[in-house]
């Protein structure tokens, strides 16, 4: 099985930056696509970004384009989400997930526990 663990969340002022990390263990070969998703209180879970197995292709939801960058380091079994120029509307629990399909997997087979990101005005 695969285990995913997010870290790096916290409280930051608007305009600030955070880098989220996702550490993977187990065999991820059957789930090559890594995604970041988020869920704000009272709202549905929202897609944020995906990255291919090679790391050469990325895809973002419109609201984070130009501000967020997804990356991965396969030698360390790590994925990242660099978040710059954060806005209050970015406040959510952020999840790392893996699955199949591009650019947005229809199904995610494994999820992390989530990490809270809070952006104050």
């Amino acid at each position: 099985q695969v285990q995913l663990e997010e870290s790096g969340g916290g409280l930051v002022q608007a305009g600030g930056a955070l880098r989220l990390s996702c550490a993977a263990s187990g065999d991820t070969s059957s789930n090559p696509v890594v995604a970041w998703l988020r869920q704000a209180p009272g709202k549905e879970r929202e897609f944020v970004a995906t990255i291919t197995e090679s790391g050469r292709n990325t895809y973002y939801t419109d609201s984070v384009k130009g501000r967020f960058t997804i990356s991965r380091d396969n030698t360390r079994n790590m994925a990242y989400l660099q978040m710059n120029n954060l806005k209050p509307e970015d406040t959510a629990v952020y999840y790392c997930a893996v699955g199949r399909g591009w650019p947005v997997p229809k199904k995610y087979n494994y999820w992390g526990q989530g990490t809270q990101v809070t952006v104050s005005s």
Side-chain angles (χ1 to χ4, degrees), residues 6-9 17-23 34-38 46-51 58-61 64-65 67-73 78-84 86 90 92-96 115 117:
E6 304 96 332
S7 61
L18 288 172
R19 188 182 74 160
L20 306 183
S21 297
C22 175
V34 175
W36 287 95
L37 305 97
R38 65 188 182 185
E46 176 190 23
F47 168 82
V48 176
T50 42
I51 188 167
T58 58
Y59 182 77
Y60 302 90
T61 192
V64 308
K65 287 180 180 177
R67 300 189 298 120
F68 290 12
T69 303
I70 186 172
S71 61
R72 65 191 296 169
D73 183 346
M78 296 288 293
Y80 307 94
L81 185 68
Q82 178 66 47
M83 305 184 295
N84 297 328
L86 283 161
D90 295 319
V93 176
Y94 283 71
Y95 297 89
C96 177
T115 186
V117 172

Side-chain angles (χ1 to χ4, degrees), residues 12-57:
V12 64
Q13 293 185 4
L18 288 172
R19 188 182 74 160
L20 306 183
S21 297
C22 175
S25 62
D27 186 1
T28 62
S29 61
S30 296
N31 297 272
V33 174
V34 175
W36 287 95
L37 305 97
R38 65 188 182 185
Q39 187 167 21
K43 297 184 179 179
E44 295 184 351
R45 191 163 295 180
E46 176 190 23
F47 168 82
V48 176
T50 42
I51 188 167
T52 56
E53 184 177 23
S54 68
R56 289 192 288 268
N57 291 281

